[in-house]
Amino acid sequence: MLTYDALNRLAQGAGFTKTAPLSVRKLSLLDEVRQMCESCNAYGTRWSCPPGCGTLPECRERVAGYTQGLLVQTVGQLEDALDGEGMMAAEATHKQSFEMLHRQLLPLYPRLLALGTGGCRLCEHCTYPDAPCRFPERMTPSMEAYGILVLQACKDSGLPYYYGPGTISYTGCFLLE
């Protein structure tokens, strides 16, 4: 298993702004967070989103197999609170960094569980529910799809969630055993 310093170097090399060790035992998978997914237009349309990613008890069972992880963030600068282009650019950077680090970590941690930001977008059209996922080893549910309140995960890991006016942050995590 890599040390946190080695993981941090990999994450920084992939383009992340901030990282922190993640104590998986502190994670709470909450019904209230999971229920928020129901208002999203991706709900019920992808393997990475509820209900395709499994029930909350199934997600809890998967997460229970891990004790350590890495929290990763991309912090973007915005011109103002309505800077949609800046938000989309920061999100794209985060997703690109997330996929790059995912590819680097997977050979080292074959049981890796990657939980990203938003639903998986690897395929233009997801096969859900008619056929199995085309890329199950690369598919990444969101932290929220697993019922994780990202703000609390950041707080428990000593990582800010909000960096002040003119910023936006995107957070994901890798469970590593």
Side-chain angles (χ1 to χ4, degrees):
M1 183 160 173
L2 296 177
T3 65
Y4 169 70
D5 288 338
L7 289 167
N8 182 51
R9 283 191 298 276
L10 280 176
Q12 298 287 322
F16 289 106
T17 310
K18 304 278 185 182
T19 69
L22 177 66
S23 175
V24 180
R25 289 190 177 115
K26 288 185 178 181
L27 290 177
S28 295
L29 281 63
L30 306 170
D31 291 319
E32 300 84 359
V33 174
R34 182 64 178 267
Q35 289 168 0
M36 288 188 285
C37 289
E38 293 176 18
S39 64
C40 177
N41 63 357
Y43 183 86
T45 65
R46 296 189 175 107
W47 286 110
S48 64
C49 295
C53 64
T55 65
L56 200 50
E58 289 169 336
C59 292
R60 286 185 183 116
E61 187 175 322
R62 280 184 217 122
V63 169
Y66 299 88
T67 58
Q68 296 186 355
L70 180 70
L71 200 61
V72 294
Q73 279 185 336
T74 302
V75 180
Q77 299 298 314
L78 304 176
E79 291 182 17
D80 57 46
L82 301 175
D83 182 8
E85 286 182 20
M87 291 175 197
M88 290 188 317
E91 180 183 21
T93 297
H94 180 78
K95 288 186 180 279
Q96 181 179 9
S97 297
F98 196 85
E99 188 170 332
M100 179 187 299
L101 187 57
H102 190 193
R103 283 192 314 265
Q104 292 173 330
L105 291 175
L106 201 52
L108 302 169
Y109 300 93
R111 290 191 44 235
L112 171 89
L113 177 59
L115 300 175
T117 302
C120 179
R121 304 272 195 253
L122 286 174
C123 302
E124 186 175 339
H125 299 286
C126 184
T127 60
Y128 182 83
D130 302 320
C133 176
R134 293 178 193 103
F135 305 104
E137 70 285 349
R138 291 179 53 208
M139 188 260 297
T140 54
S142 70
M143 292 176 71
E144 293 88 354
Y146 266 59
I148 298 169
L149 183 61
V150 177
L151 172 67
Q152 190 64 50
C154 289
K155 182 178 178 182
D156 290 344
S157 298
L159 196 63
Y161 176 77
Y162 178 64
Y163 290 87
T167 66
I168 189 164
S169 60
Y170 293 93
T171 305
C173 67
F174 296 93
L175 308 187
L176 298 170
E177 291 167 331

